[in-house]
Amino acid sequence: MEPVKVGLIGLGTVGGGTVNVLQHNAKEISRRAGRGIVISHAAARDINKPRICQTDGIKLTEDPLEVVADPDVSIIVELIGGDTLARELVLKAIANGKHVVTANKALIAKHGNEIFSAAQKQGVMVAFEAAVAGGIPIIKAIREGLAGNHIEWLAGIINGTGNFILTEMRDKQRDFDSVLAEAQRLGYAEADPTFDVEGIDAAHKLTILASIAFGVPLQFEKAYTEGISKITREDVDYASELGFTIKHLGVSRRTDKGIELRVHPTLISKRRLIANVDGVMNAVLVKGDAVGATLYYGAGAGAEPTASAVVGDIVDVVRVLTSDPENRVPHLAFQPDSLSDTPILAIDEIETAYYLRITASDQAGVLANITTILANNGISIDSMLQKEHSSEDKATIIIITHTTIEKNMNTALEKIHALDVIDGDVVRIRLEHLDAE
Ligand code: NDP
Ligand code: HSE
């Protein structure tokens, strides 16, 4: 049988890795797919640039529309990033009757509903395993492996760059900017690295995970997003003293009121496996009612780990090229006419525990005032630590609370800030227990 011809748009970190994996593992891949797979046509901005891959035998162009229009190509692999040109190219590819594979989480999180609907009408597949958690097959695991479960919650370290920065800062006392520069050199970071450090990339990925876990349309605009740029060494050390690690976590939980969808720095007990996921590695915990808690771990970024997911998708598409479009695995795990309108909750409606760091005058009654405000807002204290402050007349108070509603914490913090014995802002970091029960 003739090999399947693939058009590749983007020959950078992931595109180059994809060419390499398809070439190195060609025999095994064709034994799995039932047919050979070749990249016949590829586009990049500058086709004369040195590449991490061999491009001999591939027709090269600087016009990606040429690839999308190539009648010999049946699968388009979009690896340029961004959501403007990428959206146009993917919609054109679908209109031309081509299947699409992409690693582009921004594209799927923001335009996935439109793209899947167009693909559904054309009877083509859009596969996006590499869009979440690099090489970990988490989309497949939730969409297919856990299809028998009512998913209750999921939580993940889903940005490799952010986790790499936090780990290097903690373990090697390196500064933020130099670690970020290294992540960029290694090809982990997004074209705009603020997407990594401000949590936007993780929010794109969490939006996708929540949709396939809970069967709701993609709603990136409703995700709460907080990055890692304000985490201080002081808080990392105090958290550690109390038995916690600070990780940048995406959390999505189904509650009676709606679905929580939030990305923020989070204290996690050091005893949890996920607290020990370091460097560029990612991990996603998924709690299903039948299976219990499951954990998926692997490289979250980088050329070949991500290419592993891209090539897995290409093989999937090749396997079902001739199958009935009505009987394929639905893009968002649930049949398109069975998506639910369960609301995404605003951040002040979510429930979580908190770490608070308060700097206050070291005088009688201050602690009592603070704890009274917390109690009056229904917030119960789990543990507390008082530390010396560099100024003799001040004290640092660390409080870990039990779980409460965020709006109660907001009210309490407003009142604590208003006390004239409080110095500067109260630091508040959310804390998750991630209990399997
Ligand atoms: P790179 O910047 O390394 O590569 C982008 C590629 O797209 C380059 O080859 C570039 O050409 C090409 N390109 C950009 N604009 C155009 C254009 N207008 N016309 C033709 N070609 C164009 O990005 P990555 O490989 O890192 O990322 C690609 C996608 O994969 C993104 O969506 C990213 O979010 C996602 N992703 C990345 C991961 C990673 O670890 N890097 C992991 C998971 C997902 P040229 O080389 O000539 O400049
Ligand atoms: N910039 C992303 C990260 C790439 O660091 O996780 C993988 O999606």
Side-chain angles (χ1 to χ4, degrees), residues 105 130-131 133-134 158-162 188-190 196 201 205 282 300-301:
K105 45 276 161 128
I158 46 180
N159 183 269
T161 303
Y188 301 157
E190 294 304 301
D196 296 291
D201 177 74
K205 293 164 175 166
N282 279 190

Side-chain angles (χ1 to χ4, degrees), residues 99-152:
H99 302 279
V100 173
V101 172
T102 179
N104 192 335
K105 45 276 161 128
L107 176 73
I108 297 297
K110 290 172 74 178
H111 304 294
N113 299 321
E114 175 191 20
I115 288 170
F116 297 147
S117 156
Q120 176 86 4
K121 285 194 192 108
Q122 279 287 343
V124 296
M125 288 176 72
V126 177
F128 52 95
E129 181 64 69
V132 183
I136 309 173
I138 186 66
I139 305 282
K140 206 176 233 321
I142 300 177
R143 192 163 60 183
E144 296 166 51
L146 299 182
N149 286 263
H150 173 88
I151 310 274
E152 294 169 5

Side-chain angles (χ1 to χ4, degrees), residues 108-411:
I108 297 297
K110 290 172 74 178
H111 304 294
N113 299 321
E114 175 191 20
I115 288 170
F116 297 147
S117 156
Q120 176 86 4
K121 285 194 192 108
Q122 279 287 343
V124 296
M125 288 176 72
V126 177
F128 52 95
E129 181 64 69
V132 183
I136 309 173
I138 186 66
I139 305 282
K140 206 176 233 321
I142 300 177
R143 192 163 60 183
E144 296 166 51
L146 299 182
N149 286 263
H150 173 88
I151 310 274
E152 294 169 5
W153 55 263
L154 58 88
I157 296 170
I158 46 180
N159 183 269
T161 303
N163 203 38
F164 180 67
I165 293 173
L166 287 179
T167 307
E168 291 286 304
M169 284 174 66
R170 182 197 65 199
D171 293 350
K172 301 184 189 155
Q173 272 76 52
R174 292 179 60 191
D175 70 86
F176 190 98
D177 292 336
S178 87
V179 192
L180 173 59
E182 189 182 347
Q184 289 179 289
R185 225 174 18 254
L186 292 167
Y188 301 157
E190 294 304 301
D192 176 355
T194 57
F195 275 41
D196 296 291
V197 297
E198 296 306 340
I200 300 159
D201 177 74
H204 287 146
K205 293 164 175 166
L206 186 70
T207 298
I208 298 171
L209 289 179
S211 284
I212 59 167
F214 306 125
V216 291
L218 296 149
Q219 294 164 78
F220 167 68
E221 68 290 351
K222 296 193 182 145
Y224 173 80
T225 305
E226 202 178 296
I228 58 170
S229 56
K230 295 196 187 98
I231 296 179
T232 64
R233 165 139 301 282
E234 208 179 354
D235 292 314
V236 170
D237 291 344
Y238 289 142
S240 177
E241 204 173 313
L242 289 159
F244 297 95
T245 298
I246 300 181
K247 289 289 182 191
H248 193 223
L249 217 62
V251 180
S252 189
R253 182 178 281 121
R254 199 195 302 246
T255 75
D256 293 342
K257 293 180 289 180
I259 293 168
E260 297 184 357
L261 190 62
R262 51 192 170 97
V263 170
H264 48 70
T266 311
L267 268 75
I268 311 169
S269 163
K270 286 181 190 171
R271 285 173 300 148
R272 297 268 173 244
L273 280 174
I274 197 167
N276 298 291
V277 171
D278 288 335
V280 74
M281 304 310 273
N282 279 190
V284 184
L285 255 169
V286 184
K287 170 77 183 348
D289 63 342
V291 71
T294 56
L295 178 66
Y296 308 85
Y297 170 85
E304 298 217 352
T306 310
S308 160
V310 171
V311 174
D313 272 350
I314 298 174
V315 170
D316 253 4
V317 172
V318 171
R319 282 173 173 153
V320 298
L321 270 180
T322 53
S323 74
D324 169 10
E326 293 299 315
N327 291 315
R328 293 183 185 142
V329 179
H331 292 109
L332 288 178
F334 292 72
Q335 297 299 335
D337 56 2
S338 297
L339 292 182
S340 109
D341 58 2
T342 310
I344 303 294
L345 295 175
I347 189 66
D348 59 357
E349 293 295 336
I350 67 117
E351 290 188 30
T352 188
Y354 295 87
Y355 159 102
L356 305 176
R357 174 165 58 81
I358 305 168
T359 306
S361 304
D362 195 4
Q363 63 190 54
V366 170
L367 202 52
N369 282 343
I370 294 170
T371 53
T372 303
I373 291 173
L374 291 173
N376 288 346
N377 285 281
I379 301 165
S380 137
I381 294 172
D382 183 7
S383 59
M384 204 155 51
L385 200 65
Q386 181 159 340
K387 308 293 283 184
E388 276 180 20
H389 191 272
S390 49
S391 331
E392 249 179 44
D393 58 342
K394 295 202 173 77
T396 300
I397 301 158
I398 312 290
I399 296 174
I400 301 284
T401 74
H402 287 294
T403 298
T404 186
I405 299 181
E406 177 122 342
K407 65 182 164 203
N408 292 351
M409 179 54 80
N410 292 341
T411 309

